[in-house]
Amino acid sequence: MSERASVSPKTAEPTTDQPTDERMDEEQPSEDTRAERKPVTTGAESVVRALENAGVEYAFGVQGGAIMPVYDALYDSDIRHITMAHEQGASHAADAYGIVSGEPGVCLATSGPGATNLVTGIADADMDSDPMIALTGQVPTGMVGNDAFQETDTTGVTTPITKANIFASDSDRVGDDVGEAFALAGTGRPGPTLVDLPKDVTLGETAQEPGEARTPDTYTVQERADEGTVQRAARRIEESSKPIMLLGGGVIKGDATEEVRSFAIEHDIPVVTTMPGIGSFPEDHELAMEMAGMHGTGYANMAITHCDTLIGVGTRFDDRLTGGIETFAPDAEVIHIDIDPAEISKNIHAEYPLVGDAATVIEQLAAEVRESPQATKWRAQCQQWKSDYSMAYKTPDDEPLKPEFVVEALDEATSDRAIVTTGVGQHQMWACQYWTYTEPRTWVSSHGLGTMGYGFPAAIGARLAADDDQEVIAIEGDGSFLMTIQELSVAVREKMDITVAVLNNEYIGMVRQWQDAFFEGRHSASEYNWCPEFDKLAEAFGARGFRIDDYDEVADTIQAALEYDGPSVIDVHIDPQANVYPMVPSGGDNGQFALTEDQL
Amino acid sequence: MTGGLEGPAPEERPKPAGRRNELGIRIDPEAEAARPHRRTVISALVVHEPGVLSDVSGLFSRRQFNIESLTVGPTETDEQARITLVVEESDPGIEQIKKQLRKLIPVIAVRELEPDAMRRELALVKVNATRPDQVAAVADMYGGKTVDASPETATIEVTGAQQKIDAAIEAFSQFGIREISRTGTTALARGTDDTATKGAQADDYQSEITHTVPADDD
């Protein structure tokens, strides 16, 4: 386990009731039992022991033939296993658990279809660099390669989508394999790791306790950036008259939120975030320009387009952020801070590459920058853009309910520490744009992979990682929610306090929006007017169902859903024609964002 | 009414001047420079364990790197193997290849070899042996060795730089080539220069290395 990750799993400001203390109290008895724990006798027990040593509290999964020995060993463990309705749900729940807690989330599945069902969630975690462990059952080693029942080459399938994967071949070593997977998932640039567990290896006898979890010797992480480059970058910042900080998901994963906040505020540098970077800077702060990119705010995109110095932290310059590379930040010299050297100059050439841990490098930079940039005019310009391109929508009574209004109402009804999870589509963009995020690890979404169906299982993982007083709100779309709606049964069984708001327009809305703009309005396969009534479906699952059709129902219904102690689903019937703006067409110029359909 | 926001239309907005050209496109010396592909040799020292080769080749295929040849074999240390890659890519592509290779967990060290590195390939060429004396003469010319002979065929082993083997094959073609098997290039740095050893990260991502066209060695 990396030092950073184990020090502070939650970066949200601790409240008076000190959740960390509670957690330590809970851990106390398990420390005692650990002292008197029975020695391991099988590979499977060694696997579970490695999980316990890593401090795992929850594991998400589905039982099955090849993974049965591990589940049998879990039976005697304090680790709480959450049986999911589908393995995809397990992988998303583990992913979200990792995002919210900062510790790798764990998911389990059996061989073959169990393992392949995890694949979407693993790929999702890989794209977003989320720490995650996947443990998969495998047919006995003697049958591997023979197309045995429920056999899949799981390490082969997952090689391109994992940070590392291990085929466990030895009962004596399997505990260490799991420990290594843990260490790798949480160290350096986080990511998903997988251990494939053949049944004979987990059934096999061993007295070998897993050793200390550590990364292989070949794995090295550079923590501190090159001093010379830091100095050059510092000079550039001092001389800059139009600086911008661009904060990516790496700021949150590297627990660098406090460092970047104080750096930006001390030097009065306006801040733009990427979508995974949401929460790294308080959006209600004067310097906040909020999210940039395809559906970013107009002012964020104007600021990026006109800046002369771009300080990118923990971002990989995804094409949804940059638009066309050749028109991205055309005047800017780029300072790029990233722990992964391969991200430097991959998409955007960095004049000042700073490889290292985000918090460490920002501190190095802070020590070196002696004068704040002279940027009074620039900040005024940024404020001007904020008023020129303010995020607004029309809400006359005679118009159908606007989704933006619903998102704002949810935000208003909940605390600053409330966690939002989303699926993928228009609802996700409205949740980015109209919710004001102020804390890290409160925004949980599928960014890089763009996985529809992510939001609800993610809410389950987030719920378990969150403090009891943190609300968990899943903002879903009708199409997205339908993809993993079976996980509602899990939330009901576990009595999880999750509020789902389905922004229901009876369309795959984002596709509809693109079809209107770029495919002459031919709505090929994007009309979902066969959607169920989600409130009634929720009741059938044993959850509470609500429905909103108009403005005057919004506040009261949201209140009732939030007050219900258990999963509740609000079927929100929004304006079916509502679209997401601003919008930069794919590969377009960020400064030329469209504010209406006519400008596309 | 499909929604929309207020604010100045795109044509009313200021445009950055500085590094844009008259078409409004970023002028970035790095990004704008022509990117000719060049051929180079990359040596990777890896942990000798199953699956490494598939990790490396999988990396190349899914990232769409243009790979010319890939050879692998054990080294002086039992636990380590050396993978030699010949790639044809632009400079940024070659940088990415090195960085992405380094990210693979079983990879110990990666280095792009200097143009003067020793680069060798082995080929077995099976030709028709209707004129055995002439076959032997051509083989001799390229330092080849006849490793198998039958009344109808002769198989010659040739080693050397890729260009030499190409030339040898060209010369053998007059007899009628029945089959060819080539290994791909393997390479080592010259003299005391370490090819790719743990700790020796010769071309770090931050250093600016100047590349020259590899000399046709041998």
Side-chain angles (χ1 to χ4, degrees):
Chain A
M1 191 77 322
S2 83
E3 224 178 319
R4 295 203 61 76
S6 55
V7 169
S8 162
K10 295 195 181 70
T11 50
E13 277 175 42
T15 50
T16 42
D17 54 42
Q18 282 295 339
T20 38
D21 283 353
E22 262 175 37
R23 180 166 297 205
M24 280 163 75
D25 289 343
E26 280 166 18
E27 265 176 22
Q28 220 49 52
S30 70
E31 288 286 342
D32 294 338
T33 40
R34 199 169 293 171
E36 343 158 336
R37 283 181 311 193
K38 287 185 290 184
V40 304
T41 61
T42 64
E45 286 175 9
S46 186
V47 168
V48 172
R49 183 61 48 85
L51 297 180
E52 289 169 348
N53 291 351
V56 172
E57 288 182 85
Y58 298 99
F60 306 87
V62 179
Q63 255 287 22
I67 196 76
M68 275 172 73
V70 177
Y71 271 90
D72 186 63
L74 270 177
Y75 199 72
D76 295 326
S77 171
D78 289 338
I79 295 171
R80 194 169 144 213
H81 179 267
I82 309 293
T83 301
M84 301 296 286
H86 186 286
E87 289 90 350
Q88 185 187 349
S91 56
H92 292 323
D95 180 18
Y97 185 89
I99 294 170
V100 175
S101 71
E103 301 286 339
V106 177
C107 56
L108 296 102
T110 194
S111 63
T116 56
N117 281 347
L118 287 181
V119 164
T120 304
I122 296 172
D124 195 297
D126 188 53
M127 286 288 269
D128 290 348
S129 307
D130 297 328
M132 184 173 122
I133 309 286
L135 303 176
T136 49
Q138 183 56 276
V139 301
T141 41
M143 295 171 83
V144 167
N146 291 339
D147 301 330
F149 176 65
Q150 292 194 329
E151 182 189 352
T152 299
D153 172 11
T154 305
T155 53
V157 168
T158 57
T159 294
I161 52 166
T162 48
K163 183 172 172 185
N165 66 28
I166 303 166
F167 180 88
S169 52
D170 186 348
S171 304
D172 289 339
R173 247 207 68 81
V174 67
D176 288 337
D177 287 340
V178 173
E180 184 177 303
F182 250 94
L184 280 169
T187 323
R189 178 180 183 166
T193 57
L194 180 142
V195 187
D196 202 25
L197 303 162
K199 200 170 182 178
D200 57 325
V201 171
T202 48
L203 282 176
E205 286 184 17
T206 179
Q208 194 66 46
E209 293 279 340
E212 197 189 331
R214 55 187 206 94
T215 58
D217 295 341
T218 55
Y219 183 77
T220 51
V221 179
Q222 185 174 334
E223 298 281 335
R224 288 181 69 82
D226 175 70
E227 277 301 335
T229 319
V230 169
Q231 284 163 12
R232 290 199 301 121
R235 297 296 88 75
R236 174 69 202 182
I237 293 169
E238 288 167 351
E239 289 159 14
S240 149
S241 58
K242 294 189 271 178
I244 273 284
M245 287 189 84
L246 171 67
L247 306 183
V251 172
I252 296 165
K253 291 182 178 109
D255 284 333
T257 315
E258 276 173 39
E259 287 82 355
V260 291
R261 286 180 180 196
S262 52
F263 185 82
I265 291 165
E266 187 186 336
H267 297 295
D268 258 336
I269 301 172
V271 176
V272 165
T273 68
T274 69
M275 189 162 73
I278 285 175
S280 57
F281 197 80
E283 293 187 330
D284 53 3
H285 194 280
E286 197 189 3
L287 290 169
M289 305 296 282
E290 301 168 56
M291 181 179 80
M294 181 176 279
H295 290 297
T297 64
Y299 35 100
N301 282 327
M302 288 302 275
I304 286 238
T305 303
H306 292 267
C307 70
D308 67 0
T309 305
L310 180 72
I311 310 163
V313 191
T315 171
R316 62 190 168 87
F317 294 104
D318 178 84
D319 56 273
R320 280 293 192 271
L321 166 76
T322 61
I325 295 280
E326 63 279 6
T327 50
F328 178 76
D331 288 354
E333 298 227 339
V334 175
I335 299 167
H336 189 184
I337 301 171
D338 207 291
I339 198 153
D340 180 358
E343 289 307 334
I344 304 288
S345 297
K346 185 179 81 176
N347 296 336
I348 296 287
H349 176 73
E351 278 82 5
Y352 307 88
L354 296 174
V355 176
D357 169 71
T360 312
V361 178
I362 289 285
E363 276 178 351
Q364 282 180 273
L365 208 50
E368 200 60 50
V369 177
R370 297 187 189 95
E371 282 168 45
S372 298
Q374 299 293 306
T376 318
K377 241 176 101 184
W378 169 242
R379 283 189 296 274
Q381 175 67 73
C382 286
Q383 293 306 322
Q384 184 60 44
W385 282 326
K386 269 172 130 172
S387 72
D388 286 352
Y389 302 102
S390 60
M391 298 297 288
Y393 53 91
K394 301 187 182 86
T395 57
D397 289 339
D398 55 349
E399 271 193 60
L401 180 59
K402 294 291 178 202
E404 299 92 332
F405 182 86
V406 180
V407 172
E408 285 188 337
L410 279 161
D411 186 13
E412 233 162 79
T414 51
S415 74
D416 278 355
R417 298 178 65 235
I419 293 171
V420 177
T421 75
T422 76
V424 167
Q426 288 183 316
H427 68 278
Q428 179 189 28
M429 294 304 136
W430 289 315
C432 287
Q433 295 174 333
Y434 289 92
W435 189 290
T436 305
Y437 299 88
T438 55
E439 297 297 331
R441 304 189 189 278
T442 59
W443 163 249
V444 181
S445 193
S446 169
H447 310 111
L449 198 66
T451 308
M452 283 178 70
Y454 177 86
F456 188 70
I460 291 178
R463 177 71 272 168
L464 293 175
D467 297 329
D468 287 345
D469 65 335
Q470 274 182 295
E471 298 108 333
V472 175
I473 314 293
I475 297 179
E476 276 282 15
D478 45 302
S480 201
F481 191 36
L482 261 190
M483 286 196 173
T484 49
I485 198 165
Q486 69 275 20
E487 305 301 343
L488 202 45
S489 60
V490 176
V492 169
R493 187 193 70 221
E494 302 288 338
K495 301 184 179 62
M496 289 177 165
D497 195 9
I498 297 170
T499 304
V500 188
V502 188
L503 301 185
N504 186 350
N505 58 6
E506 300 192 347
Y507 278 104
I508 295 290
M510 192 59 94
V511 170
R512 197 272 326 278
Q513 181 169 341
W514 283 48
Q515 286 170 333
D516 284 339
F518 309 115
F519 291 90
E520 296 162 349
R522 289 149 55 90
H523 294 168
S524 180
S526 60
E527 289 173 3
Y528 270 39
N529 47 18
W530 44 269
C531 267
E533 292 181 61
F534 289 104
D535 51 335
K536 291 184 183 167
L537 195 58
E539 297 280 350
F541 272 106
R544 277 298 301 274
F546 298 91
R547 181 180 165 120
I548 295 177
D549 287 287
D550 211 345
Y551 289 101
D552 52 16
E553 300 162 358
V554 172
D556 291 348
T557 312
I558 286 175
Q559 208 49 48
L562 286 171
E563 277 166 18
Y564 177 69
D565 191 16
S568 52
V569 176
I570 316 172
D571 192 358
V572 191
H573 289 257
I574 58 163
D575 176 0
Q577 301 306 323
N579 278 340
V580 182
Y581 290 101
M583 178 181 185
V584 180
S586 184
D589 178 343
N590 276 354
Q592 305 287 294
F593 52 86
L595 293 163
T596 64
E597 201 176 21
D598 305 333
Q599 293 175 352
L600 278 172
Chain B
M1 169 72 202
T2 56
L5 299 167
E6 303 197 349
E11 59 273 14
E12 293 159 22
R13 295 173 205 156
K15 268 198 166 189
R19 298 205 304 187
R20 285 199 190 214
N21 66 15
E22 68 278 8
L23 297 170
I25 290 175
R26 177 185 172 102
I27 304 162
D28 183 333
E30 275 294 326
E32 291 288 296
R35 293 291 181 201
H37 282 214
R38 64 185 175 88
R39 178 190 282 260
T40 192
V41 179
I42 293 171
S43 186
L45 196 64
V46 302
V47 177
H48 202 178
E49 65 181 19
V52 183
L53 191 58
S54 111
D55 281 0
V56 170
S57 56
L59 169 73
F60 275 72
S61 69
R62 72 174 175 274
R63 295 216 178 249
Q64 298 287 293
F65 293 134
N66 191 6
I67 184 168
E68 296 278 310
S69 82
L70 187 159
T71 63
V72 60
T75 64
E76 71 282 1
T77 314
D78 285 347
E79 303 84 53
Q80 296 177 357
R82 187 180 305 284
I83 295 179
T84 307
L85 296 140
V86 180
V87 294
E88 198 165 323
E89 277 287 338
S90 60
D91 278 344
I94 290 167
E95 287 303 307
Q96 262 298 304
I97 288 173
K98 291 188 282 187
K99 290 172 179 171
Q100 294 292 345
L101 273 173
R102 281 193 192 119
K103 274 173 74 169
L104 297 177
I105 309 291
V107 171
I108 300 164
V110 176
R111 187 187 157 184
E112 183 182 354
L113 293 186
E114 300 294 325
D116 72 344
M118 290 168 297
R119 296 171 292 140
R120 292 292 182 276
E121 183 177 350
L122 181 147
L124 290 173
V125 187
K126 191 189 282 181
V127 297
N128 292 323
T130 42
R131 289 172 289 169
D133 51 332
Q134 290 179 29
V135 170
V138 171
D140 208 33
M141 229 159 67
Y142 289 96
K145 206 167 81 181
T146 306
V147 289
D148 181 54
S150 73
E152 287 88 30
T153 66
T155 303
I156 299 97
E157 170 198 318
V158 194
T159 63
Q162 198 192 3
Q163 292 84 348
K164 174 181 155 190
I165 290 174
D166 289 343
I169 289 169
E170 179 76 33
F172 281 122
S173 65
Q174 58 177 303
F175 310 113
I177 291 172
R178 293 170 83 108
E179 283 181 310
I180 293 177
S181 178
R182 298 174 67 158
T183 60
T185 299
T186 189
L188 277 184
R190 277 189 192 275
T192 52
D193 192 7
D194 283 334
T195 303
T197 314
K198 188 175 170 140
Q201 301 267 314
D203 40 284
D204 202 51
Y205 54 92
Q206 276 164 344
S207 63
E208 301 281 328
I209 47 169
T210 51
H211 299 288
T212 52
V213 182
D216 289 346
D217 57 336
D218 210 31

